[in-house]
Amino acid sequence: MSAGPLLTVDDLSISYGSRLLVNGVSFALDGGESLALVGESGSGKSLTARAIADLLPAGVSATGRVLIEGAPVRRPRRRGRGDSPRVGLLMQDPFTMLNPTMTAGGHIAETLRAAGRPRAEIPAEVSRRLAEVGITDASVARRYPFELSGGMSQRVALAAALANDPALLLADEPTTALDATTQHEVLELLRQVQRDRGMGLVFITHDLRVAFDLCHRVVVMYAGSIMEEAPARIMRRDPLHPYTRGLLESIPSTDHYQGNLRGIPGSVPATHTVLDRCPFADRCDERVDACTHVVPPLVEVAAHHRAACIRIGELVSTTTATSVGSARVTDHVGDEVVVRVSDLRKSYRVHGGVHPALDGVTFDLRQGEALGIVGESGSGKTTIARCLLGLTSPTDGSIEFAGFGVVPAQRTAQDRRAVAQIVQCVFQDPYSTLNPMHSVGTALGEALSQRSRPVTDRDHEIASLLDRVGLPASMATRRPASLSGGQRQRVAIARALAVEPRVLLCDEPVAALDVSVQAQILELLREVNRSQGTSLLFITHDLGVVRQITERVLVLYRGEVVEQGATDVVLDAPTHDYTQRLVAAMPSTHVAQEA
Amino acid sequence: MSADSTGAQPSRATDTSIDEKRRTRWGPVFWVAVVIVALFIIIAITADWIAPYDPYAQDLVASSQGPSAAHWLGTDQLGRDILSRLMVGSRTGIIGPAVVAICATVIGTLLGLWAGFSGGIADSVTMRSVDFAYAIPPLLLAIVLVGILGGGYWLAVAVLIVLSAPADVRVVRAAVLAQREMPYIAAARTLGLSQMRIAFKHILPNVAPTLAANALLQFVVALIALSGLAFLGIGVSAGTPDWGLMIAENRSILDLNPWAVIGPALCITILAVSVGLLGDRAFDVTTKRINER
C-alpha cells in the first residue's frame, strides 16, 4: 500500500437510460493482488468490469470514479500511440475474442508494435510471449483461430492481453466456455502468470469455487450491489451474508451425496426495482420486516470483511452446516430394462475422412434408474441423445425400448409416435427450448395430445402439469419471452412429463442456468425420478450434478465408454486416466465442511 | 452513496427502455401509411359511385384542359376526366399487385416448406429452378411472353406471380433449415408430432413476419412492374383507366395539362411508398413484440 492501490472503484453506478444497473459499487485492488467479482446473471459484475476498462456498450453510462494507479481510465481509442494502456482484457468466448482473419502471432505482434517495440525484435518476442502462456510449439504463431482448440485460443487471447504488459488484467469468465480439464489448466496458468508478473487481476465469475481457488479476495455482487467482500480464505470458511451462504449451498457437491439440494427460491430482480430495500430480501430466509424498506449499508464486520445485511450481527454466530453425506435412496429402481443400447456407432464424414462420434457404446437403463453420461465436448454424449430421440440415425448398432422392441434405423411416423411415448427430452438451452410463438398452455396442450392416455379436461391437465413443476396455473397464458431461464426449463420439463414417458433424457438441463436456480431444477428432476419411477438419462459435464442425480455413471471419452459403475465408486476412486483428470480438475467444494 | 439514483421512483418492472419502446410502437408514420392505403382501397371499391364523371366518357370539346372547377385535375386528349380515371385506375393499381403478392407468397411458402423438409433431390430441383428464375429479367420476360401470347392484364399478373414466388421459396426454405436445428423443433420432433404439424404450427408462425413484410414488398414491386408494362402498352388494353397507361397516353399533352401525367405518377409513388412503409414497420414491430412478450 506504499503508492496507493492499483485500482480504485469509488461509488460506481451504471445505468441504461433511466434504468439503474449497478448501484454505487466501491472496492480497491492492490498491485499483485487478485480479486474475484462473483455474481449471477443480472448482478452487474460484467458491466462493472467493462466500466473499469471504459468499454461500456453504447447508451450505457457510468457515474462515480474509476482510478488506475491514481489516474482516471480513458477509452483506448482516445489514447495516443506509445501511451501504454494499463489494462488487459480477457473475455469469455475465445473464438469471438480473436480476429478470425489474423494469425495467433499476429494478435500479439499487433499489440507489441503499438507499444512501440522495434520491428526486428517482434518475432522473437512473440514466441517468448507464447511460451509464457505455455505454448512452445512455434507453428501455433502462424495458425488462425479456427485451427486452434478452445483452450489454445484462450491461451493465445491471454498472451495478446498481456502483450502490452498491463498492470491490471480483467478476465471476464475466461474459462466458462471450456471443458473441465481445460478450464483447470487455464486457471492454473492464469494464477501463475498473475503471480510471476505481480500483476493485478480482476476475475469475473459465477462460480464461487473458482473464485476461492484462484483469488486473494472475493466480492459477491447481487442485483447491482455488493453483498459481501472478504479475503477468499475467510469467505470460504465463514461466509456471512445469507446470499453468499445460499450460493454456496446451491452448488451441487462433487464430494458427497446431498439428501436435499438447497437452491435459493425465486430469481434475481432488476436493480432498479430494489433501490429502497435489501435487494436479496425477497429470497432471504433470514428476512425481517425492516429488510424490505431499509437499504443495508456495506459495513466492516471484521478486518477486511464487509457485508451488507442489517442482521449481520445476529447471523454471525450461526455457522452454516451443509448436509454431509446423506444416504442415497435407491428403492425406486426396478429390474426391468427400459432402454438397451448395443454397440451404437455413429460416424460423420469430415473433410473427406470419416470421423467416428460414437464408437461402440453399449449400456442398459433400468426402470426408475438415474444414469449419468459424462464427458467433454466432442465426446459423443449429445450424439447418444440424438440417436435415442431419433433426431439422427446411428450408423450401426441397435436401440431397444421396453414395450417397443428394436427401433429401426429409419423411423416411420408411427415409430416416432410410439417412441415419443417412451422417451422425452429436456434440452440445454432454456431460451430456445420453447417455441417463441406458442404460449405455455399451447405448448403443453400439444404435448398432451401426443399422450397415449386420452385427455379429458385439457385446461385442468395443463394446470396440474404446471403445478407439478412448481409453476402457477396462470402461467399457461404467458409467452416464453416473459419467463426467466429457470421458469422456461420448468415448462420444458412439464412438456416432457405431459406424455408420461418412461425415460426422461436430460441433456445438460442446468448448464445454462444460474447457480441458485440450478439446485431448484435438479431437485425437481430428482423428485420426478423418485416419485414416478421415471428413468433418467442424464447428460452433463458437471461431476457435482452427476453425484447428486445419478446412481450409475458412464464416462465417455472420444466416443467410447472408458469407465462405468456406481456413481460414488467412479467419482471416489476413478480408474481410467481421463476420469482421474476430470475428477482432479473439479474445483473443490468442501467449503463449509471444515468449519 | 447512491444519492443521485434514489431520487428516481423505482418504477414497476418495465423491461423495455424508452429506446426499445419506440421501436415496438407503430408510430405516427405507420398510421399515416395505413390511412393512405385504406383511402386507396375505399376509392377503388366505391369509384363507380364517387367518381364525378364516367371515366370512359369523351368530351372532345373540353380536351386537354388544365384543372378547373368542373374538372379538378383537368382532362386528357379525348376530354375524359383525369380525376375519375385516377379513381377507377386504383382498381388495376391495387388488385393486380395484391393478387401477385398473395399468390406468390402462398406458392413460395408451400414450395419452400416442401423443399426444406424433404431435402435431397426435391430440394435440389426446386432450388435450381429458383436460381434459374432469378436469372431471368422479369420485365423482359413479361414483355416477350405477353407479346407472344397476346394476353392482357391477367397474363402479366400471372407472369409476375411466377417470377416473384422464388423469393418466398428462398426465405421459407432458409427458415426451415435454420429452425430445424432449434431445440424447440427438436422437442417437437421428440414429441412425435407429424412433419405437417411441425411445418405449419412451429416453423411457419416464426417466419410469418418475414413473409408478411416480403409480401408487401412484392406488392410494391408488382405495382411498379405492372404500371411499367402498361406504360409500354403491354397488359391493360388501350383506353382502360390505368395509372401506367395514363402516363403513356398523356405524355403528349404534358404542356397543356401536366396533371394528366403528374396525377397517375403521384398515385403510383404514394401507394408504393405507403405499402413499403407498412411492410417495414410491420416486420420490425411484430418481431420485436414476439421477442418481448
Side-chain angles (χ1 to χ4, degrees), chain A residues 517-529:
Chain A
V517 181
Q518 273 188 20
Q520 301 168 14
I521 299 295
L522 289 177
E523 190 58 40
L524 171 63
L525 288 170
R526 208 143 82 163
E527 199 264 325
V528 165
N529 175 224

Side-chain angles (χ1 to χ4, degrees), chain A residues 11 13 16 18-20 23-24 63 270 272-273 275-276 386 389-391 413 416-417 420 423-425 427 429 432-438 443 446-447 449-450 479-482 495 499, chain B residues 1-2 4-6 8-20 181-194 197 201-203 205-206 208-209 289-293:
Chain A
D11 196 18
S13 291
Y16 179 54
S18 59
R19 254 191 313 169
L20 196 65
N23 186 7
T63 60
H272 68 273
T273 61
L275 294 177
D276 56 344
R386 291 181 66 85
L389 297 171
L391 296 174
R416 287 183 177 283
R417 227 186 131 102
V423 55
Q424 279 300 314
C425 186
F427 295 88
D429 182 6
S432 56
T433 192
L434 301 174
N435 194 327
M437 298 297 292
H438 292 182
E446 190 177 45
S449 71
Q450 296 301 104
R479 285 268 181 90
S482 69
R495 178 178 61 190
V499 188
Chain B
M1 283 292 296
S2 52
D4 51 344
S5 56
T6 41
Q9 285 292 316
S11 59
R12 218 50 250 141
T14 44
D15 269 312
T16 44
S17 79
I18 309 144
D19 241 32
E20 286 156 14
E181 302 308 315
M182 296 299 285
Y184 59 80
I185 299 301
R189 290 173 72 191
T190 302
L191 280 173
L193 300 179
S194 68
R197 190 175 171 92
K201 291 273 175 175
H202 285 263
I203 291 182
N206 283 292
R289 287 193 174 180
I290 290 163
N291 294 327
E292 269 156 28
R293 287 279 155 82

Side-chain angles (χ1 to χ4, degrees), chain A residues 86-119:
Chain A
R86 290 154 301 190
V87 184
L89 187 65
L90 190 60
M91 299 209 281
Q92 178 168 354
D93 188 347
F95 295 104
T96 53
M97 201 185 155
L98 296 177
N99 184 338
T101 63
M102 273 171 78
T103 61
H107 282 91
I108 300 161
E110 184 187 40
T111 314
L112 290 172
R113 268 197 300 275
R117 291 256 176 180
R119 227 157 241 280

Side-chain angles (χ1 to χ4, degrees), chain A residues 98 103-105 107-108 123-145 147-160 185-186 189 192-193:
Chain A
L98 296 177
T103 61
H107 282 91
I108 300 161
E125 187 65 16
V126 166
S127 39
R128 202 183 67 75
R129 296 303 180 113
L130 284 174
E132 185 188 4
V133 294
I135 299 175
T136 44
D137 179 358
S139 70
V140 170
R142 290 190 302 273
R143 284 195 224 157
Y144 287 91
E147 298 174 301
L148 303 172
S149 67
M152 197 74 103
S153 302
Q154 200 56 292
R155 284 170 193 267
V156 170
L158 176 60
E185 289 166 19
V186 172
L189 173 67
Q192 187 193 329
V193 167

Side-chain angles (χ1 to χ4, degrees), chain B residues 41-233:
Chain B
I41 293 173
I42 292 168
I43 290 170
I45 294 169
T46 59
D48 285 344
W49 297 284
I50 60 168
Y53 296 87
D54 177 351
Y56 294 95
Q58 301 183 1
D59 180 1
L60 294 173
V61 182
S63 72
S64 307
Q65 285 183 349
S68 64
H71 301 280
W72 290 2
L73 292 179
T75 58
D76 65 9
Q77 272 175 308
L78 299 173
R80 298 176 293 200
D81 181 53
I82 295 295
L83 181 63
S84 304
R85 289 179 69 77
L86 282 183
M87 286 175 157
V88 176
S90 57
R91 288 181 182 165
T92 52
I94 291 173
I95 295 170
V99 169
V100 169
I102 292 167
C103 292
T105 304
V106 171
I107 294 170
T109 302
L110 293 177
L111 272 177
L113 284 175
W114 183 65
F117 263 104
S118 35
I121 295 173
D123 187 31
S124 301
V125 170
T126 314
M127 292 322 289
R128 292 305 76 76
S129 318
V130 166
D131 291 342
F132 181 70
Y134 262 99
I136 302 170
L139 274 183
L140 210 59
L141 182 78
I143 292 168
V144 172
L145 267 185
V146 178
I148 293 171
L149 300 173
Y153 185 67
W154 292 106
L155 185 64
V157 167
V159 169
L160 283 175
I161 290 173
V162 172
L163 294 175
S164 302
D168 286 304
V169 177
R170 276 214 170 156
V171 169
V172 173
R173 175 180 170 273
V176 171
L177 295 188
Q179 300 238 340
R180 272 171 80 121
E181 302 308 315
M182 296 299 285
Y184 59 80
I185 299 301
R189 290 173 72 191
T190 302
L191 280 173
L193 300 179
S194 68
Q195 296 268 40
M196 283 293 229
R197 190 175 171 92
I198 292 176
F200 285 97
K201 291 273 175 175
H202 285 263
I203 291 182
L204 206 50
N206 283 292
V207 275
T210 315
L211 282 178
N214 212 28
L216 290 168
L217 191 68
Q218 279 168 346
F219 179 97
V220 175
V221 172
L223 168 62
I224 290 165
L226 285 173
S227 303
L229 285 174
F231 179 83
L232 296 174

Side-chain angles (χ1 to χ4, degrees), chain A residues 316-329:
Chain A
V316 171
S317 49
T318 55
T319 17
T320 39
T322 34
S323 49
V324 180
S326 320
R328 254 176 213 285
V329 198

